[in-house]
Amino acid sequence: MAVHSINPFLISLFFTFFVLSSHTLFSICTALESEVEDETPFTYVEGTGKGPREWGKINPDWQVCGRGKLQSPIDLLDQRVQVISNLGKLKRDYQPAKATVKNRGHDVTVTWKEDAGKININGTYFKLLQCHWHSPSEHTFNGTRYNLELHVIHQSSNRTTAVIGITYKYGRPDPFLAKLLSHISSIGKEEKDLGIVNPGDIKFGSRKYYRYIGSLTVPPCTEGVIWTIVKKVRTVSREQVHALRNVVHDGFEANARPTQQLEGRPILLYNPVVNRGS
């Protein structure tokens, strides 16, 4: 893994690119609403005419899925990563709030209906909107794909999207999913009230994270998304993963988009102790 010293100007330039890219973004709410149709027009199975390689041809609004140069997910390959210590720790300020759970057909989504807090990235605040799961994981680490990935979706006042990704391997149950499992197992097509859900129950487990600029991983594959992937791989039980797979529509039990070409994008790894020889 290459270790680089990146000055603050380069980091500022990196985030300026995020801001300049944001003018091309759809509203994340609009993008997510387009995914919740009862009969979803895309699938993850190649050879059906609706698989990931064909997403860009299904709908004119989805052309970026096939032509985009900032697509997600990607493989976080050690040789591509620039390790730095001055990117800054991920600042979360979450709070319990009313939430609902819904089977969107291609995934299970928890949406906060009240102010559930925010994250701070490079001085910009991003409001927490929702989270959902992909199985197996979409992002890979040196080609390794894990059993589950959680995406926590946030949006800034100028509608730039920031997603925190957390990957999981089989082991002990995930505490956040444990509190939701009975609701997930019994959801139908309608949105279900969860009462108060504390997003602080989502455990990160590591200060180290990867950051890069990418896209939504489902149609319309909107680009300009700020991705933060927690380096630590957490654990989830087989029962929890099976519950998420069992409730989605047929053909979406495995709902991970294949990794996309990097196209020369920088991948930063925040390591707060890199300058101490760690």
Side-chain angles (χ1 to χ4, degrees):
M1 183 182 294
V3 178
H4 298 263
S5 175
I6 300 182
N7 63 41
F9 172 76
L10 182 55
I11 296 173
S12 176
L13 188 64
F14 189 71
F15 283 98
T16 297
F17 181 62
F18 291 149
V19 174
L20 292 176
S21 299
S22 67
H23 76 280
T24 65
L25 296 179
F26 298 115
S27 163
I28 185 67
C29 295
T30 302
L32 293 177
E33 286 171 2
S34 70
E35 301 167 17
V36 300
E37 302 295 334
D38 288 337
E39 297 299 329
T40 310
F42 71 94
T43 184
Y44 289 87
V45 181
E46 298 290 9
T48 61
K50 299 179 180 180
R53 293 180 183 176
E54 305 298 323
W55 288 355
K57 302 175 184 178
I58 295 173
N59 185 320
D61 294 333
W62 299 357
Q63 291 184 21
V64 71
C65 295
R67 300 178 181 177
K69 301 298 183 182
L70 302 174
Q71 290 293 290
S72 297
I74 61 172
D75 179 41
L76 299 163
L77 185 66
D78 282 351
Q79 286 83 350
R80 298 170 176 170
V81 173
Q82 301 175 37
V83 184
I84 61 175
S85 62
N86 54 349
L87 189 58
K89 69 178 183 179
L90 186 61
K91 299 175 182 178
R92 292 177 290 164
D93 183 17
Y94 291 156
Q95 61 190 23
K98 289 182 179 179
T100 60
V101 63
K102 185 172 184 177
N103 175 5
R104 297 195 298 180
H106 62 280
D107 68 19
V108 173
T109 300
V110 172
T111 302
W112 279 272
K113 298 298 185 179
E114 299 176 331
D115 182 9
K118 57 190 178 295
I119 59 172
N120 182 334
I121 297 178
N122 201 44
T124 299
Y125 290 103
F126 295 80
K127 180 181 178 181
L128 174 62
L129 298 181
Q130 56 106 314
C131 67
H132 60 264
W133 292 265
H134 293 268
S135 176
S137 73
E138 295 200 297
H139 288 86
T140 58
F141 296 83
N142 296 304
T144 298
R145 191 179 298 279
Y146 290 97
N147 302 108
L148 188 70
E149 183 169 335
L150 172 66
H151 291 166
V152 190
I153 314 294
H154 308 75
Q155 189 179 63
S156 70
S157 59
N158 69 355
R159 294 185 174 180
T160 301
T161 302
V163 183
I164 297 174
I166 305 171
T167 55
Y168 302 80
K169 60 185 177 182
Y170 286 141
R172 293 189 175 189
D174 172 59
F176 181 63
L177 258 176
K179 295 183 178 181
L180 303 174
L181 201 59
S182 62
H183 299 284
I184 289 171
S185 299
S186 61
I187 56 174
K189 293 183 178 180
E190 300 301 321
E191 199 169 39
K192 183 178 181 180
D193 187 9
L194 292 175
I196 302 297
V197 174
N198 184 5
D201 290 334
I202 300 173
K203 305 302 181 185
F204 288 15
S206 173
R207 290 185 296 166
K208 299 177 184 178
Y209 61 80
Y210 299 92
R211 180 161 290 155
Y212 77 99
I213 186 167
S215 72
L216 300 181
T217 64
V218 293
C221 308
T222 308
E223 295 186 333
V225 174
I226 302 172
W227 277 95
T228 301
I229 308 295
V230 178
K231 189 175 189 298
K232 180 180 177 65
V233 179
R234 298 192 59 81
T235 62
V236 64
S237 71
R238 292 177 184 271
E239 177 189 13
Q240 290 174 329
V241 173
H242 291 165
L244 291 168
R245 286 183 166 223
N246 287 341
V247 298
V248 295
H249 294 173
D250 290 342
F252 293 94
E253 294 86 353
N255 61 352
R257 187 188 191 190
T259 54
Q260 306 295 299
Q261 294 296 316
L262 191 60
E263 302 288 355
R265 284 173 283 174
I267 307 173
L268 307 182
L269 172 59
Y270 171 62
N271 184 348
V273 295
V274 68
N275 289 338
R276 301 175 197 171
S278 298

